Amino acid sequence: MTDVALTSFLQYLDLIGVLFNAMVGAVIARNARLDPMGFGVLAIMSGLGGGLIRDTLLQAGPPLAIVDWRYFTTAIAGALIVTLVHIEGRWWERLYPPIDALAVGCWAAAGAAKTVGLGHGWLPAILMGTITAVGGSFVRDMVLRQVPAILGGNTLYATWAIAAAGITVVGAELGQTALGSVVATLVGAGLVLLSKYKHWALPQGDDAATVGEAVQRMLARRSARAGEHEVERKSKD
């Protein structure tokens, strides 16, 4: 696959991700009982937020979502679809996960590849790739005054976005940015899907507290045993 063909492939995949994530934003707006303006705002935030944040931070010209009319139009189309059609049910539940997973992998790869292409190092590239993948949902949840889903109890979106961005950076370092982007997209998407079906998640606050308490109990038992041994030693003396 040539670089031109790859760029076209990733861009169309990117637009599919924009559409479906914009639809998710609109579905959330419906559940929150917002008006049509709210539908549009949440759809734009979900579908375009990550790329807008990335391009603003990179300061390499106007954000792509502004200069390419297809992005904004696609996000609005997602809001209109949800406004006019009740997008829920079994078919949606089956269709959305793989598209959502591909969008995470693709966005992470695209964000990292763009950052590397601008001459930045590996750490900014991984950061921008992750922001591209999860930034929209983060902003959307904050607007709704909710704890962003990527901060706990989710299926490792940010974790696998970091992994996908890292793969892209490695590919770029090896002079195989195109191949690295494809591999990153597939690996990131596959890990997101696997996490969904296996219900993987990072430990939450209560889990971490439980682990901490377990460690404290273990240390207390060890200290108690040491005290018992000391008493036995003195009694023998």
Side-chain angles (χ1 to χ4, degrees):
M1 182 182 292
T2 66
D3 286 346
V4 174
L6 174 66
T7 300
S8 178
F9 166 74
L10 290 177
Q11 193 167 50
Y12 281 114
L13 188 61
D14 195 18
L15 288 170
I16 292 173
V18 169
L19 175 65
F20 276 82
N21 280 281
M23 291 169 66
V24 170
V27 168
I28 292 173
R30 170 181 285 162
N31 293 336
R33 304 182 66 84
L34 302 184
D35 61 16
M37 182 62 71
F39 276 49
V41 170
L42 287 192
I44 291 171
M45 286 182 176
S46 295
L48 303 178
L52 286 170
I53 296 172
R54 176 203 65 209
D55 292 345
T56 300
L57 291 174
L58 289 176
Q59 297 184 4
L64 181 62
I66 293 178
V67 297
D68 191 333
W69 62 271
R70 294 176 298 176
Y71 282 82
F72 186 80
T73 304
T74 300
I76 294 299
L80 288 175
I81 290 172
V82 174
T83 303
L84 300 175
V85 182
H86 193 65
I87 304 295
E88 287 182 58
R90 183 174 300 176
W91 74 271
W92 168 257
E93 293 174 356
R94 290 179 178 177
L95 181 62
Y96 175 70
I99 297 296
D100 180 45
L102 281 170
V104 171
C106 178
W107 284 347
K114 182 171 184 176
T115 305
V116 169
L118 292 172
H120 297 290
W122 66 269
L123 185 58
I126 292 176
L127 177 62
M128 292 299 104
T130 305
I131 288 175
T132 305
V134 303
S137 63
F138 189 96
V139 174
R140 179 197 67 212
D141 291 345
M142 291 189 66
V143 167
L144 292 174
R145 294 188 293 181
Q146 300 174 354
V147 176
I150 66 167
L151 298 184
N154 66 91
T155 52
L156 305 180
Y157 280 108
T159 302
W160 302 138
I162 292 172
I167 292 172
T168 304
V169 171
V170 172
E173 289 293 326
L174 296 176
Q176 298 290 335
T177 303
L179 178 60
S181 297
V182 173
V183 173
T185 298
L186 296 177
V187 171
L191 290 173
V192 169
L193 278 176
L194 187 61
S195 296
K196 283 180 180 289
Y197 293 129
K198 294 290 186 179
H199 304 291
W200 289 345
L202 294 175
Q204 295 177 275
D206 291 342
D207 297 332
T210 302
V211 172
E213 292 170 359
V215 171
Q216 289 179 355
R217 288 194 296 269
M218 180 187 68
L219 293 176
R221 287 194 298 269
R222 182 177 297 177
S223 178
R225 285 197 298 269
E228 292 173 358
H229 292 326
E230 181 66 18
V231 171
E232 291 178 0
R233 186 184 65 81
K234 289 182 178 180
S235 63
K236 290 179 180 179
D237 293 342

